[in-house]
Amino acid sequence: MQVNESRVVAADPATVWKIGGDTANVADWIPALESSHQRGDMRYTTFAGGGEAVERIVEHDDQQRRYVYDYVSGPLPLEVYRSVFAVVDHPDGARITWDADFRGTSAEEDAALAQAISEIYRAALDELENRVVRDRV
């Protein structure tokens, strides 16, 4: 399954990346998360409704403003999950893309997982955009 969300933000891509590319502090702008921290390439997040997830940052490129991470463990019923977060130049500012390729523990759960992941991404992009605009003022 795939989830692909994107957003154009009227802000400098470097400004958006400064917040969105900080892999340790994603809970600052992802409403579904209560807290986050990172040790080495391992990121630990706690969901607002409870449950801790562990993710591995497998690639982080400040020059390209892009990072890739895998879901290692946590409350979501996932067998495989790889996500790419990126910020690219756009004529109106910056385009944020957030894509996930995943497979749940059962095919029956994949559609519900896709919807949940998409909702998490959209809410996070809303908050990231609000934060970039707020910090710019």
Side-chain angles (χ1 to χ4, degrees), residues 12-90:
D12 177 63
T15 302
V16 177
W17 178 250
K18 183 177 178 184
I19 298 168
D22 178 2
T23 57
N25 295 303
V26 293
D28 290 350
W29 58 273
I30 299 177
L33 300 178
E34 184 176 288
S35 65
S36 62
H37 67 279
Q38 190 170 327
R39 278 188 236 119
D41 64 349
M42 301 303 282
R43 176 168 65 193
Y44 302 87
T45 60
T46 302
F47 284 94
E52 185 176 273
V54 179
E55 300 163 329
R56 178 176 287 111
I57 308 298
V58 294
E59 180 184 325
H60 188 276
D61 188 334
D62 285 324
Q63 198 84 2
Q64 299 263 331
R65 295 189 300 262
R66 175 182 188 275
Y67 75 89
V68 179
Y69 64 97
D70 292 338
Y71 185 85
V72 176
S73 65
L76 299 176
L78 295 165
E79 270 188 25
V80 176
Y81 178 97
R82 174 161 282 194
S83 188
V84 179
F85 179 89
V87 178
V88 297
D89 295 340
H90 186 275

Side-chain angles (χ1 to χ4, degrees), residues 58 87 108 119 122-123 131:
V58 294
V87 178
E108 297 79 35
E119 288 172 6
R122 282 195 303 268
R131 184 150 178 218

Side-chain angles (χ1 to χ4, degrees), residues 75-128:
L76 299 176
L78 295 165
E79 270 188 25
V80 176
Y81 178 97
R82 174 161 282 194
S83 188
V84 179
F85 179 89
V87 178
V88 297
D89 295 340
H90 186 275
D92 295 327
R95 175 180 292 281
I96 307 164
T97 60
W98 202 352
D99 304 317
D101 288 306
F102 69 92
R103 184 175 64 248
T105 54
S106 73
E108 297 79 35
E109 295 175 340
D110 284 353
L113 277 169
Q115 182 175 342
I117 292 166
S118 187
E119 288 172 6
I120 289 169
Y121 284 11
R122 282 195 303 268
L125 292 175
D126 287 345
E127 183 59 28
L128 180 56

